[in-house]
């Protein structure tokens, strides 16, 4: 099948609807499968319903769920069979007509159309498949509101931003003849980024910002960051750069991809070094993120592989650190940017600290000087 067949299918999934809300389960299962293909966990066209798939599904699901949505990865694993590209392999002797849901005794594994599996392995076509999946997220207003709360914004700021993104900004964009499409109907990072380029070339945005104390620019920037989080475009670009680098061997590419993903040897080194979250001490490594202190794109080849250029953090601290909302001084005491609203909502407290080694100092010095928003 041609690639457009699958992007059309991905953007028009048969989804369960409750109370006008599309349940995100199928979207999250397909995102989870693609991530495990990226990480090299799934290497052949055989999708096992195992702990890694379930944990990855849950990570995506928690970003997209509503209060009454249940974390049930077994349901999309089974019901994706209603889509023409997802297939189930049943256990020997099992009559598929007698099966109504997933169980290990009935279903061996799932597999995809071979053409789709090939497209999922490519970082280029995989990005477009992720964009297509986002077309199913009909309630982006809810997801954006939830994302603003998760990133530490105060309730009054959330209400203001949502009012601008839903009403004020679309009217202004239409007046400037930049687009007639409501902002919350733009679900592709790439499409919104192209619009932002046009917006930034429009000098009237400066006039509008002078009237609204810069809120228009802030909202545009935040919505771009929201879509960026959902599609992980920075990660995809870095992986694509590695794969396209002709000076690297296949083994070197695999090592660098795993390191960029916070996986493989690099992740194990950070787990051995920190023995849990570097700040809270939380020890369930499935819930911890291994990431670089000095960003990947700014690091030398040696720095990319240096375990002392890495922190192991619970997800909320990792996100705040990555965005420059927190950092650490030379003694390891946490620094919290004044622009981070309600840090306590994210579990960020002034008494937090990290136990540093001398080897960490240069990297954290870079982070404080170049990324920390509290300067």
């Amino acid at each position: 099948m041609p690639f457009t067949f699958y992007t059309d299918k991905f953007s028009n999934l048969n989804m369960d609807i409750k109370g006008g809300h599309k349940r995100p389960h199928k979207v999250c299962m397909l995102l989870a499968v693609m991530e495990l293909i990226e990480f090299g966990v799934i290497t052949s066209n055989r999708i096992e319903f195992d702990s890694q798939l379930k944990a990855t599904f849950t990570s995506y699901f928690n970003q997209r769920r509503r209060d009454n949505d249940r974390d049930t990865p077994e349901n999309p694993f089974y019901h994706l069979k209603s889509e023409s590209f997802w297939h189930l392999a049943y256990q020997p002797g099992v009559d598929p007509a007698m099966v109504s849901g997933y169980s290990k005794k009935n279903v061996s594994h799932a597999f995809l159309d071979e053409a789709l599996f090939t497209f999922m392995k490519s970082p280029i076509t995989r990005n477009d498949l992720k964009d297509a999946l986002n077309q199913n997220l009909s309630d982006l207003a809810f997801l954006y509101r939830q994302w603003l709360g998760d990133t530490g914004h105060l309730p009054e700021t959330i209400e203001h931003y949502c009012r601008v993104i839903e009403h004020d900004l679309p009217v202004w964009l239409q007046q400037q003849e930049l687009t007639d499409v409501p902002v919350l109907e733009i679900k592709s990072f790439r499409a919104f980024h192209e619009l932002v380029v046009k917006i930034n070339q429009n000098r009237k945005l400066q006039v509008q910002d002078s009237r609204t104390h810069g809120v228009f620019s802030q909202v545009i920037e935040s919505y771009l960051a929201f879509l960026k989080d959902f599609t992980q475009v920075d990660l995809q670009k870095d992986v694509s750069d590695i794969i396209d680098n002709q000076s690297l061997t296949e083994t070197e590419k695999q090592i660098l991809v795993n390191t960029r993903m916070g996986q493989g040897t690099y992740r194990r080194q950070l787990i051995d070094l920190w023995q849990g979250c570097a700040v809270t001490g939380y020890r369930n490594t499935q819930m911890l993120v291994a990431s670089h202190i000095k960003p990947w794109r700014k690091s030398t080849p040696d720095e990319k592989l240096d375990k002392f250029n890495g922190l192991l953090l619970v997800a909320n601290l990792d996100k705040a650190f990555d965005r420059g909302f927190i950092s650490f001084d030379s003694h390891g005491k946490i620094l919290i940017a004044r622009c981070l609203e309600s840090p306590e909502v994210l579990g960020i407290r002034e008494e937090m600290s990290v136990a540093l080694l001398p080897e960490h100092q240069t990297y954290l010095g870079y982070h404080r000087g170049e990324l920390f928003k509290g300067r």
Side-chain angles (χ1 to χ4, degrees):
M1 290 290 183
F3 182 60
T4 52
F5 171 83
Y6 294 109
T7 53
D8 288 345
K9 283 288 186 182
F10 270 39
S11 61
N12 294 283
L13 294 175
N14 299 309
M15 298 172 70
D16 185 28
I17 300 176
K18 292 288 178 68
H21 161 60
K22 288 186 177 181
R23 303 280 185 170
H25 295 73
K26 284 186 175 181
V27 171
C28 296
M29 179 56 66
L30 290 168
L31 287 171
V33 168
M34 283 192 280
E35 179 170 314
L36 293 178
I37 290 172
E38 290 176 37
F39 287 1
V41 176
I42 296 176
T43 57
S44 63
N45 192 3
R46 181 186 176 98
I47 304 163
E48 306 280 356
F49 189 70
D50 55 20
S51 59
Q52 286 180 298
L53 180 64
K54 288 187 280 189
T56 308
F57 169 88
T58 298
S59 176
Y60 282 107
F61 182 74
N62 285 338
Q63 285 185 312
R64 293 159 172 79
R65 69 183 303 170
R66 281 216 175 191
D67 292 340
N68 59 345
D69 289 337
R70 295 176 56 217
D71 185 0
T72 53
E74 64 276 8
N75 288 342
F77 189 86
Y78 177 78
H79 290 293
L80 268 167
K81 72 184 182 68
S82 66
E83 311 292 344
S84 60
F85 53 79
W86 181 280
H87 314 284
L88 296 177
Y90 295 88
Q91 300 287 6
V94 172
D95 180 2
M98 302 301 293
V99 178
S100 59
Y102 173 81
S103 70
K104 191 172 182 179
K105 70 176 183 178
N106 290 328
V107 178
S108 168
H109 60 276
F111 60 98
L112 304 163
D113 287 357
E114 281 297 334
L116 175 58
F117 182 69
T118 299
F119 291 136
M120 283 189 174
K121 289 192 293 184
S122 165
I124 299 170
T125 48
R126 190 166 55 230
N127 276 344
D128 281 358
L129 289 171
K130 287 185 176 183
D131 259 358
L133 284 176
N134 280 337
Q135 303 304 312
N136 294 281
L137 302 175
S138 57
D139 199 356
L140 277 193
F142 169 81
L143 294 170
Y144 177 59
R145 179 183 296 271
Q146 181 173 270
W147 178 87
L148 287 170
D150 290 343
T151 49
H153 291 79
L154 292 169
E156 53 266 34
T157 302
I158 294 173
E159 292 302 323
H160 193 185
Y161 276 29
C162 288
R163 186 167 61 252
V164 170
I165 203 84
E166 291 181 52
H167 305 292
D168 302 343
L169 182 57
V171 170
W172 183 82
L173 290 171
Q174 190 173 30
Q175 290 172 345
Q176 303 306 313
E177 298 182 349
L178 293 174
T179 181
D180 290 330
V181 179
V183 175
L184 289 171
E185 289 184 15
I186 303 175
K187 302 170 185 179
S188 160
F189 172 84
R190 183 165 55 192
F192 189 68
H193 184 268
E194 290 173 356
L195 176 60
V196 171
V197 171
K198 295 179 182 177
I199 292 172
N200 289 336
Q201 292 172 346
N202 187 307
R203 294 187 177 182
K204 293 183 180 178
L205 176 64
Q206 298 175 6
V207 176
Q208 182 64 39
D209 265 346
S210 68
R211 296 172 180 167
T212 61
H213 306 288
V215 170
F216 264 43
S217 289
Q218 293 166 18
V219 170
I220 291 166
E221 182 181 347
S222 75
Y223 191 71
L224 191 66
F226 160 69
L227 290 177
K228 194 178 206 179
D229 264 4
F230 267 47
T231 54
Q232 295 185 302
V233 290
D234 281 347
L235 185 66
Q236 292 295 325
K237 177 64 167 63
D238 290 343
V239 170
S240 297
D241 289 345
I242 294 168
I243 292 172
D244 293 341
N245 190 334
Q246 299 302 313
S247 68
L248 299 173
T249 66
E250 290 304 314
T251 300
E252 289 170 332
K253 289 179 182 180
Q254 187 62 55
I255 291 171
L256 286 173
V257 167
N258 285 340
T259 300
R260 179 63 183 94
M261 298 289 191
Q263 300 295 315
T265 302
Y266 186 74
R267 178 177 175 82
R268 289 195 297 273
Q269 287 177 334
L270 292 189
I271 291 172
D272 290 342
L273 178 64
W274 294 106
Q275 298 293 309
C277 173
V279 175
T280 68
Y282 184 74
R283 297 179 67 85
N284 185 343
T285 56
Q286 294 184 61
M287 304 297 290
L288 302 179
V289 181
S291 60
H292 287 76
I293 300 171
K294 182 178 180 180
W296 175 272
R297 292 186 179 186
K298 301 297 184 181
S299 295
T300 67
D302 287 342
E303 290 172 339
K304 289 173 179 175
L305 299 172
D306 186 358
K307 66 181 179 181
F308 296 108
N309 186 20
L311 290 178
L312 196 65
L313 297 169
V314 292
N316 58 328
L317 291 178
D318 172 75
K319 183 69 70 177
F321 183 77
D322 184 60
R323 292 281 176 82
F325 289 121
I326 63 171
S327 191
F328 301 93
D329 69 17
S330 59
H331 301 290
K333 187 179 185 305
I334 196 169
L335 303 170
I336 305 173
R338 288 188 295 274
C339 61
L340 178 61
E341 300 175 354
S342 303
E344 66 281 355
V345 174
L346 301 176
I348 297 173
R349 303 183 304 276
E350 291 185 357
E351 65 270 20
M352 284 178 160
S353 64
V354 60
L356 299 177
L357 295 171
E359 293 88 344
H360 292 120
Q361 295 293 350
T362 299
Y363 296 119
L364 278 169
Y366 181 95
H367 188 274
R368 290 192 299 271
E370 300 297 328
L371 298 177
F372 182 50
K373 299 178 184 295
R375 299 184 299 278

